[in-house]
Amino acid sequence: GDVTEREGMVIVGAAWELAEESAANVGPFTTWGEMHRQIVRGQLSFLSRTEFYDLTESVGRWFGEREDLLGYPIVPRLLHMDLHMSNILVSGGMVSGILDVEEAVIGHNEYDLMRTELARFGDGYESLREAFFEAYTAHVRLDDGYEGRKPLYELSRWLVGLKCLTYSGSRVAPDLAEEARRMRARIRELMEESPVTLPPRRRGRRRGGLSSF
């Protein structure tokens, strides 16, 4: 697979989520904002060649207007990027192994955390979400402003969902047209719900957004 051991180190192969079709490796990155920008660019590059091409301009502009929200120093951490119950082995009440690590990258823990939150703690699971975050933050403190950055991460994951829908078709959803409509609606909803709210120290500083592809 993509993961090997060399001289006592675990080597994780090329991260497909960061890449466009023409390049398997990109980086290194100096900031998390720069890395996330490349993630989104790769997603939009793919979608520009699918039936969802009409979303790329508005979504790219939306991200570009908000990229300064990610422009601060982070503590880099290893992210699994597909952590759910089917990928966690448990023995004797303890985690004994983690599967499906080919998507692993180094980045902001918020990006992986949002995936877990989005997939597992929807409406009706607020008490479970609170218990999870209480346990999580006992080990890793959340950076201030996570709730304000979460829409960027969620929209990025919906773009991945569109990619999966394109690749996998009926294996993802029996009614493809209805699932595409549902995903488009959620993307529009996120874009309408999330006004630009930049940190005061970043306001007025622009560095070329994602609106030009």
Side-chain angles (χ1 to χ4, degrees):
D2 292 332
V3 180
T4 59
E5 185 174 350
R6 185 187 310 159
E7 297 178 358
M9 298 183 296
V10 175
I11 308 300
V12 181
W16 68 269
E17 185 167 359
L18 285 169
E20 299 183 20
E21 297 298 317
S22 60
N25 292 286
V26 290
F29 305 102
T30 57
T31 67
W32 164 238
E34 182 183 336
M35 179 176 173
H36 188 266
R37 187 185 312 132
Q38 179 60 40
I39 290 173
V40 173
R41 281 181 172 156
Q43 293 163 348
L44 293 181
S45 176
F46 173 84
L47 293 177
S48 69
R49 301 185 293 278
T50 72
E51 64 176 289
F52 304 109
Y53 70 92
D54 57 295
L55 293 173
T56 58
E57 182 176 354
S58 60
V59 170
R61 183 167 56 249
W62 185 89
F63 274 107
E65 291 170 349
R66 291 158 179 80
E67 64 178 1
D68 278 2
L69 290 172
L70 306 181
Y72 70 98
I74 69 164
V75 177
R77 291 187 170 92
L78 180 64
L79 314 182
H80 183 279
M81 300 309 298
D82 194 22
L83 193 62
H84 54 77
M85 290 183 292
S86 298
N87 285 335
I88 302 174
L89 302 180
V90 177
S91 177
M94 301 290 290
V95 174
S96 59
I98 302 293
L99 305 177
D100 197 14
V101 298
E102 69 268 16
E103 295 183 37
V105 296
I106 299 295
H108 200 323
N109 62 292
E110 291 181 347
Y111 195 50
D112 220 7
L113 179 62
M114 179 282 313
R115 281 183 59 116
T116 302
E117 184 179 0
L118 182 63
R120 301 298 166 199
F121 309 125
D123 295 339
Y125 291 91
E126 187 59 31
S127 61
L128 185 60
R129 178 185 184 276
E130 290 177 1
F132 172 83
F133 271 86
E134 181 179 353
Y136 183 91
T137 54
H139 300 279
V140 181
R141 187 184 72 84
L142 289 181
D143 290 342
D144 294 338
Y146 168 63
E147 292 296 327
R149 292 184 293 274
K150 193 163 64 174
L152 282 79
Y153 304 142
E154 182 177 348
L155 183 49
S156 174
R157 296 314 304 169
W158 282 111
L159 299 183
V160 173
L162 293 178
K163 187 174 184 178
C164 291
L165 195 65
T166 301
Y167 272 138
S168 302
S170 58
R171 288 184 296 170
V172 175
D175 189 337
L176 294 179
E178 178 57 31
E179 183 65 8
R181 282 192 293 270
R182 184 184 74 84
M183 297 174 77
R184 282 177 175 273
R186 180 53 184 158
I187 288 172
R188 287 194 298 269
E189 185 179 29
L190 271 172
M191 293 171 64
E192 292 169 359
E193 286 178 349
S194 306
V196 180
T197 307
L198 300 180
R201 62 188 176 84
R202 305 291 297 178
R203 198 179 299 277
R205 295 178 63 186
R206 303 296 301 131
R207 295 187 311 277
L210 288 163
S211 56
S212 57
F213 274 78

